[in-house]
Amino acid sequence: MRKQNNKIELMAPAGSWEALQAAIDNGADSVYFGVEQLNMRAMSSINFTLEELPEVVQRCEKNGVRSYLTLNTIVYDHDLLIAKKLIKAAKDAGVSAVIVADQAVMFMAREAGLEVHISTQINITNVETLKFYSTFADTMVLSRELSLRQVKHITDQIKKQQIKGPSGRLVEIEIFGHGALCMAVSGMCHMSLHTYNSSANRGACKQNCRKPYIVIDKESGIELEIDNEYIMSPKDLMVLDFLDQVKDAGVNVLKLEGRGRAPEYVATTVKTYREAIDALYNGNFTQERVEQWVTDLARVYNRGFWSGYYLGRKLGEWTTPGSHATQKKIYLGKGWHFYPKAQVAEFKIEAFDLKQGDKILITGPTTGVIEMDLKEMYVNDQPGTFAKKGDIISIKMNKKIRPADKLYKLVPAEQVK
């Protein structure tokens, strides 16, 4: 059961063990993830295996975090046995809920006694459609194209009409709050299928809308390149600067997109939205803090930000090539040893130099994400201020690191060519 604290639930992506731990460590209330097939990021993120599913759930439960398995692709007849296998595995592992977009999978989940959340792929845009699906699901992800005014009308009607899900609770509303947006209506796109025979709605999008195109007038032959913009690739969604309006619209769950993005992206976005949501309910949501949070979000991968359709816009804002992140990471090396009594971590430098005062990033399957300023270090067992390829550095750290952990240096984007 969901915690009944009336706060907006912060839902984070987990496309890898590193991202999962980063989400947990930085204050996510829930995480969503895929297992092998039948999820919308089947090809673009690592995903987990059936064998790993119990550990994913256990790691979440240990930290009081809800776990959501995505089974939200379209499903063909030959997929039904796979879907049943995934549903059974989810039930056996104790997954909190499954996110679905196919009615057959919906029935399977309900028969198994699993909580169901309706994916945005179903494209719910009105209260009557929501009422229809309330027979099967407790939480609905509304169409991404709705305005907050339309969202509020639906949440008001849920209360007025007392529309309840199978659990007996009022239906809860989830919206996308941050991350990549697709040019298609609620992600239902066929462009990748037509051009590469690789279906976006089967989790295999080739993202050809993210490329630059030249428009050709067939009559005159004149070619146009539209202001160097990717004219089918929207900027990333961000609602942080009007989070108070999201709250007033009656939203229950705020979903951060990004299962295909790096763990430091997950760490930063979760941490930032966690602070913003808490500030909203504590009366500390100020313009000054909003400006700082937006600056923090801009440090990690993004295509620029816009408000989506929530504030009533009729047309999208298109991005320009590449990431707009103000900070980049440079790989330095990997974990070497950890001394628990001394709380000292060792890393072997395999590439580039590192000096005292640099900002570093450490990522790992159990470590998650650690960012810190390198105030002091030992180099080859001696106090030092500079390390180069081949050196072993020692850093004081209160979290265990492992050989699988990676060490990076964080630098301003303009320093990376």
Side-chain angles (χ1 to χ4, degrees):
M1 294 285 286
R2 190 190 311 283
K3 293 178 182 178
Q4 298 297 306
N5 59 8
N6 296 320
K7 265 190 185 181
I8 293 174
E9 176 183 316
L10 180 59
M11 182 178 173
S16 66
W17 287 109
E18 291 86 348
L20 173 65
Q21 194 60 48
I24 292 170
D25 289 344
N26 286 279
D29 296 308
S30 57
V31 295
Y32 65 102
F33 52 89
V35 170
E36 296 177 0
Q37 304 177 56
L38 305 185
N39 72 87
M40 292 299 289
R41 292 294 183 272
M43 300 295 290
S44 64
S45 63
I46 297 171
N47 289 302
F48 298 99
T49 66
L50 275 176
E51 291 73 23
E52 292 172 329
L53 182 56
E55 185 180 344
V56 173
V57 175
Q58 288 165 17
R59 197 182 290 194
C60 290
E61 287 181 344
K62 182 181 176 181
N63 293 276
V65 173
R66 285 171 61 83
S67 55
Y68 301 145
L69 174 63
T70 57
L71 289 171
N72 57 344
T73 64
I74 58 174
V75 174
Y76 297 130
D77 282 322
H78 67 264
D79 297 318
L80 294 175
L81 287 177
I82 298 172
K84 288 180 181 178
K85 184 178 180 181
L86 290 170
I87 289 291
K88 183 180 185 305
K91 178 65 175 178
D92 292 345
V95 165
S96 302
V98 289
I99 304 172
V100 305
D102 185 278
Q103 287 76 13
V105 182
M106 206 178 299
F107 276 109
M108 289 179 197
R110 291 307 308 153
E111 287 179 352
L114 278 168
E115 182 177 321
V116 172
H117 294 187
I118 297 295
S119 169
T120 190
Q121 305 295 125
I122 282 184
N123 196 34
I124 294 176
T125 57
N126 62 75
V127 72
E128 293 301 320
T129 301
L130 178 141
K131 192 183 299 183
F132 171 82
Y133 283 110
S134 68
T135 305
F136 312 102
D138 289 293
T139 300
M140 314 278 179
V141 188
L142 297 183
S143 167
R144 301 178 193 179
E145 289 68 40
L146 294 183
S147 68
L148 285 181
R149 181 180 296 179
Q150 291 170 309
V151 171
K152 180 167 174 51
H153 174 76
I154 291 173
T155 60
D156 285 346
Q157 288 301 309
I158 290 172
K159 294 175 184 176
K160 182 178 179 180
Q161 299 184 38
Q162 289 292 291
I163 304 172
K164 297 178 180 179
S167 67
R169 305 192 310 269
L170 290 179
V171 167
E172 296 189 321
I173 293 302
E174 176 187 323
I175 68 167
F176 277 77
H178 192 90
L181 280 179
C182 180
M183 65 170 287
V185 175
S186 280
M188 295 294 285
C189 179
H190 296 278
M191 189 174 184
S192 180
L193 178 64
H194 286 315
T195 53
Y196 293 101
N197 196 31
S198 185
S199 175
N201 302 305
R202 300 271 292 166
C205 181
K206 295 294 186 181
Q207 296 203 346
N208 39 331
C209 61
R210 303 294 187 190
K211 299 176 181 179
Y213 287 88
I214 292 174
V215 179
I216 301 176
D217 184 331
K218 293 183 72 172
E219 290 186 4
S220 66
I222 295 174
E223 296 184 359
L224 299 174
E225 187 169 0
I226 312 299
D227 294 331
N228 199 33
E229 289 187 334
Y230 286 17
I231 58 175
M232 291 181 287
S233 178
K235 292 180 179 179
D236 282 358
L237 174 66
M238 181 182 70
V239 304
L240 189 141
D241 51 341
F242 56 94
L243 195 59
D244 51 343
Q245 296 181 56
V246 171
K247 174 178 175 288
D248 292 343
V251 170
N252 304 105
V253 185
L254 189 70
K255 180 176 184 176
L256 308 179
E257 190 277 338
R259 278 195 291 141
R261 295 190 178 180
E264 63 270 17
Y265 167 89
V266 175
T268 298
T269 52
V270 173
K271 180 177 183 292
T272 304
Y273 274 89
R274 175 78 277 153
E275 290 178 359
I277 290 172
D278 291 346
L280 189 62
Y281 288 85
N282 294 335
N284 298 317
F285 190 81
T286 64
Q287 183 58 37
E288 291 76 18
R289 298 196 72 186
V290 167
E291 290 172 3
Q292 181 58 56
W293 288 324
V294 172
T295 298
D296 292 340
L297 291 170
R299 290 192 295 113
V300 291
Y301 186 97
N302 69 86
R303 298 185 179 95
F305 299 123
W306 74 303
S307 59
Y309 299 97
Y310 291 132
L311 302 182
R313 301 183 69 94
K314 296 185 183 300
L315 293 174
E317 290 187 16
W318 311 115
T319 188
T320 51
S323 172
H324 295 201
T326 59
Q327 183 174 265
K328 302 287 186 181
K329 65 180 181 182
I330 298 173
Y331 176 75
L332 295 177
K334 61 185 178 184
W336 192 251
H337 193 72
F338 183 76
Y339 298 92
K341 288 186 178 180
Q343 297 283 281
V344 170
E346 286 186 339
F347 294 88
K348 183 173 183 179
I349 304 299
E350 297 180 331
F352 297 100
D353 299 331
L354 177 68
K355 66 180 184 299
Q356 186 175 312
D358 282 344
K359 190 170 186 178
I360 60 173
L361 168 72
I362 302 161
T363 67
T366 54
T367 302
V369 173
I370 299 172
E371 285 189 27
M372 58 186 290
D373 294 321
L374 188 59
K375 295 181 179 178
E376 60 179 347
M377 65 176 171
Y378 274 64
V379 181
N380 300 323
D381 292 328
Q382 298 294 324
T385 59
F386 180 84
K388 62 184 185 303
K389 184 177 179 180
D391 288 340
I392 302 293
I393 66 165
S394 305
I395 305 170
K396 196 76 174 175
M397 190 172 297
N398 59 11
K399 189 168 187 178
K400 183 178 181 180
I401 64 100
R402 293 166 174 80
D405 291 0
K406 294 181 175 63
L407 174 68
Y408 301 88
K409 176 166 57 175
L410 295 171
V411 300
E414 60 267 20
Q415 293 184 15
V416 181
K417 303 298 182 183

